[in-house]
Amino acid sequence: MGAEPYWYYTDYQTDLNLALDMLRKREFQAGRYNPAIPLLDFPITESSPSPGAQHPSIEAALEASDVDGTRSILDILRVSDTPCPLSRDEFKTALRGGENQEIIGEIFNTAFPLPSAELLALFGTEQPTHKMIESVILGDTNIDAANAFWHSINRGTARYIIVYTQNQPSEIFFIGYSFD
């Protein structure tokens, strides 16, 4: 099976690792992860399946998911404050034993911010709104930009975007791909 995309919104807080941890716990407790639900349907809504946790801990769920991963935010263990250091092509080369393989372990299971230039290219601002994310990344406002964005995400990693309402941070949008 190939990599599966996933995305979530969670309430903003200044400690991004804490926000990620709370999101992971929410999705674990809802049971929205592989192998409890092999393939999730996104977006997650109030009517999404929620069978409850099927494992005693997130760590046990990760172990049970084996090489596929949980195909969810549970696979992301930490938030970086700097953009991903490797392009998708550099990442693939490193996975095959080429250059940069020494930093692969630092990249897997990590959520990275979008650089300012990417935010500006996608949204025309460094403070995108929920509506902008829905229309650009998840919608059809600019298919080429959306495809380029999705293509830039390495497998087993995620990106995050701080979402703004009236010029104030209001949410964090996490988006990623599961392992292949």
Side-chain angles (χ1 to χ4, degrees):
M1 180 173 293
E4 298 292 328
Y6 58 83
W7 62 92
Y8 304 85
Y9 291 93
T10 192
D11 291 337
Y12 176 79
Q13 56 183 287
T14 56
D15 185 334
L16 300 177
N17 278 296
L18 181 59
L20 172 64
D21 188 48
M22 291 172 63
L23 174 59
R24 292 176 75 232
K25 286 177 183 173
R26 180 186 82 194
E27 293 305 302
F28 171 72
Q29 291 169 351
R32 291 189 288 254
Y33 59 88
N34 175 51
I37 300 175
L39 291 173
L40 296 167
D41 287 324
F42 287 88
I44 299 294
T45 66
E46 289 183 18
S47 62
S48 294
S50 183
Q54 304 294 300
H55 296 83
S57 67
I58 291 175
E59 294 73 22
L62 288 167
E63 189 172 315
S65 69
D66 202 29
V67 296
D68 290 334
T70 66
R71 299 184 187 119
S72 75
I73 197 67
L74 271 62
D75 291 331
I76 302 303
L77 306 178
R78 63 192 159 271
V79 174
S80 174
D81 58 357
T82 59
C84 186
L86 299 180
S87 71
R88 193 164 185 185
D89 290 337
E90 291 169 330
F91 184 79
K92 286 179 181 179
T93 299
L95 284 177
R96 291 187 203 111
E99 292 180 50
N100 298 308
Q101 60 182 306
E102 69 280 356
I103 64 171
I104 287 293
E106 298 169 24
I107 294 172
F108 275 135
N109 306 100
T110 303
F112 296 96
L114 264 65
S116 294
E118 283 187 53
L119 288 169
L120 290 169
L122 282 169
F123 308 110
T125 179
E126 292 182 41
Q127 296 185 354
T129 64
H130 189 103
K131 184 177 179 180
M132 288 176 179
I133 289 171
E134 292 289 314
S135 66
V136 174
I137 294 177
L138 303 175
D140 58 5
T141 299
N142 186 340
I143 299 294
D144 292 337
N147 286 340
F149 171 77
W150 280 100
H151 187 72
S152 74
I153 302 171
N154 296 316
R155 302 306 187 251
T157 70
R159 298 285 191 97
Y160 68 88
I161 300 171
I162 306 299
V163 182
Y164 289 80
T165 301
Q166 298 178 348
N167 299 318
Q168 295 297 315
S170 57
E171 296 174 289
I172 306 166
F173 177 68
F174 288 97
I175 183 169
Y177 271 114
S178 67
F179 296 96
D180 283 310

